[in-house]
Amino acid sequence: MKDRGADYYTSADGDADGETDVDDMGTSMLDFKTYDEIYRDIRQCVDLCHRDGVIKDEVARNPEKYIVLDDDFIPMMKKFREDGVKVFLLTNSYWEYTSDAMNYLYHQKDVDKETKLRNEWVDLFDLVVVGSCKPAYLLDPYLNLFRVNPQDGSLLNTDGVFEINALGENGAQKFLDQGTIFQGGNWKHLTAMLEIEAGEEIMYVGDHLYSDVLRSKRTLGWRSVFIMPELPEEMETFYKQQPNQRNIQKLRKLRDELSLYADTIRQDSDLNDPEIQNKLAQIQSDDEKVKGKLKEMALAYHRAFHPIWGMMFSAGYQDSRLAYFVTNYACLYTAKATNLGLASTNRSFRTSGEALPHDKLLSDEMSFFDDSE
């Protein structure tokens, strides 16, 4: 790839014929941009889209086009409440959009203004925090907390934790009795209102790997659940491609065996012997043939998931960056939040055992352990 600009991308197999010019008109407008500048420009545009209403105003006008309804959502939330589970909504969206979206989810349709103003969905939560400004909400202990008037969206100052403490016994409940809808604040306000002592008592469900999952887990020690809507399609493709994957593994193992065989010959034979040289040359030739076939099969497997990007959780034969963060920071990951409703609120989830390369080697049925001196 070029040192400056982003004129080309390289396909998974790394061949030159996988390079494609971004600009068909000749000189690319990206020629004079560094990767850092390109990133900052794109980030600025994406942030602006979320601030200026070009996205959320359109969703609010036409929610049925953009918001996917889930019939299990309301029953799950009501079951949580019945079981005494404390539930909170924490979103970067401001009150007006949050009200529109949640009313649509609650009523399963777009409703009139009078019905929206009742905001019946609020009763599903112990507290609602809008305009939270994540990930700063999870990092900055000095952000101020405001009450939201749900009728007109106006804000009222609060003294946050100091006000809760000043209310004395049952201060958190007295504080929430004045209203459960807030804007801004930080994690200290949240834990004080929920009367939580340790981060591990919170299970936070979010669909943004960095601002939701990584920050809440690494900084505060919250239990985290990552929502990944693409997961079912990824799993279905993986399931259908298992025969191809097994054949790829067989060829990779065959290359390992050829390499081991050649190494054994080199160690035990006279390398000046023409017969040995011919044998090694034949092994190398066979390995090149297997490599070529393996490359062809691996590319077909890669493109079965996506013609360019391939698997989401793998980059070649290694875990992708996404896989690294998911496995290291998400306690659980699933396709949709309502999958949590398939388990009782008393269900415990435990990590599966992990194996290092030497463990996997010994687990292979063809391997054996030689303990001879």
Side-chain angles (χ1 to χ4, degrees):
M1 299 183 73
K2 289 189 174 181
D3 292 332
R4 293 179 62 86
D7 295 281
Y8 300 96
Y9 75 86
T10 304
S11 64
D13 57 5
D15 285 348
D17 58 7
E19 295 183 348
T20 301
D21 199 337
V22 171
D23 191 346
D24 293 331
M25 300 299 293
T27 303
S28 171
M29 66 177 180
L30 302 179
D31 275 339
F32 305 103
K33 291 277 189 178
T34 65
Y35 288 116
D36 180 67
E37 290 170 337
I38 294 171
Y39 163 77
R40 293 181 184 279
D41 287 347
I42 294 174
R43 176 62 186 269
Q44 183 179 8
C45 292
V46 172
D47 287 347
L48 179 62
C49 289
H50 282 83
R51 289 197 307 268
D52 65 5
V54 68
I55 294 177
K56 293 180 179 178
D57 288 353
E58 175 61 24
V59 174
R61 282 191 293 268
N62 196 7
E64 61 276 2
K65 181 178 179 180
Y66 300 101
I67 299 179
V68 179
L69 295 174
D70 189 331
D71 293 337
D72 297 322
F73 174 65
I74 301 302
M76 180 188 73
M77 297 298 293
K78 290 182 177 179
K79 184 65 166 58
F80 286 163
R81 300 289 281 167
E82 292 170 1
D83 290 349
V85 177
K86 292 183 178 180
V87 184
F88 63 91
L89 175 63
L90 181 65
T91 175
N92 282 357
S93 299
Y94 289 108
W95 171 248
E96 291 77 9
Y97 177 78
T98 302
S99 176
D100 286 336
M102 292 304 299
N103 269 301
Y104 181 73
L105 290 172
Y106 185 84
H107 296 286
Q108 301 275 295
K109 61 180 181 181
D110 198 11
V111 294
D112 58 74
K113 185 175 182 181
E114 183 178 346
T115 303
K116 285 183 180 180
L117 285 174
R118 290 202 293 269
N119 287 299
E120 299 164 84
W121 61 269
V122 172
D123 292 334
L124 298 173
F125 301 92
D126 288 87
L127 62 98
V128 174
V129 181
V130 301
S132 63
C133 198
K134 294 175 295 179
Y137 186 93
L138 308 170
L139 301 171
D140 189 345
Y142 301 106
L143 296 176
N144 293 322
L145 181 70
F146 303 90
R147 287 190 184 278
V148 176
N149 181 341
Q151 298 303 307
D152 58 13
S154 60
L155 304 179
L156 179 67
N157 288 323
T158 78
D159 288 326
V161 176
F162 299 102
E163 185 175 336
I164 293 174
N165 293 335
L167 291 172
E169 187 177 359
N170 296 323
Q173 187 56 54
K174 294 175 183 176
F175 187 74
L176 291 174
D177 286 342
Q178 302 173 44
T180 61
I181 306 172
F182 303 90
Q183 179 174 309
N186 59 73
W187 87 93
K188 289 189 174 182
H189 300 126
L190 181 69
T191 54
M193 287 186 284
L194 294 176
E195 299 180 276
I196 289 174
E197 298 294 332
E200 64 184 18
E201 296 180 57
I202 295 179
M203 184 173 73
Y204 184 53
V205 183
D207 63 356
H208 195 293
L209 186 57
Y210 295 99
S211 66
D212 288 333
V213 174
L214 189 149
R215 290 301 182 186
S216 64
K217 179 70 176 292
R218 185 165 67 182
T219 307
L220 303 176
W222 291 4
R223 304 297 188 186
S224 56
V225 181
F226 178 47
I227 303 302
M228 185 178 176
E230 302 88 352
L231 189 59
E233 183 178 353
E234 186 88 353
M235 293 177 67
E236 181 182 3
T237 305
F238 180 84
Y239 179 77
K240 292 179 178 178
Q241 290 294 317
Q242 282 187 100
N244 293 337
Q245 172 65 10
R246 284 192 287 268
N247 289 333
I248 289 173
Q249 292 302 325
K250 288 177 181 177
L251 287 185
R252 294 195 72 199
K253 190 171 183 178
L254 177 57
R255 290 197 69 199
D256 287 339
E257 292 171 351
L258 287 171
S259 178
L260 180 59
Y261 180 42
D263 197 45
T264 301
I265 293 175
R266 294 188 191 98
Q267 290 178 335
D268 300 336
S269 306
D270 180 6
L271 297 182
N272 294 319
D273 186 337
E275 184 177 345
I276 297 300
Q277 292 176 354
N278 289 336
K279 184 177 291 188
L280 290 174
Q282 183 61 50
I283 293 174
Q284 183 176 357
S285 175
D286 291 343
D287 180 66
E288 288 296 326
K289 292 177 182 177
V290 176
K291 180 181 178 181
K293 182 62 177 178
L294 183 59
K295 182 178 179 180
E296 177 185 321
M297 293 173 62
L299 182 59
Y301 181 75
H302 168 91
R303 289 175 172 169
F305 290 87
H306 188 279
I308 297 174
W309 312 119
M311 297 180 69
M312 299 189 69
F313 287 100
S314 295
Y317 297 119
Q318 297 179 318
D319 289 345
S320 66
R321 198 67 174 164
L322 172 67
Y324 170 81
F325 283 110
V326 170
T327 54
N328 281 276
Y329 292 103
C331 299
L332 298 172
Y333 64 96
T334 186
K336 56 181 182 178
T338 51
N339 284 343
L340 294 172
L342 301 175
S344 74
T345 53
N346 292 319
R347 169 74 180 276
S348 295
F349 295 92
R350 298 174 179 84
T351 183
S352 58
E354 296 182 359
L356 290 170
H358 68 277
D359 298 319
K360 296 176 181 177
L361 177 64
L362 293 175
S363 298
D364 191 312
E365 60 182 13
M366 299 298 292
S367 297
F368 67 93
F369 184 72
D370 184 0
D371 59 354
S372 61
E373 293 295 337

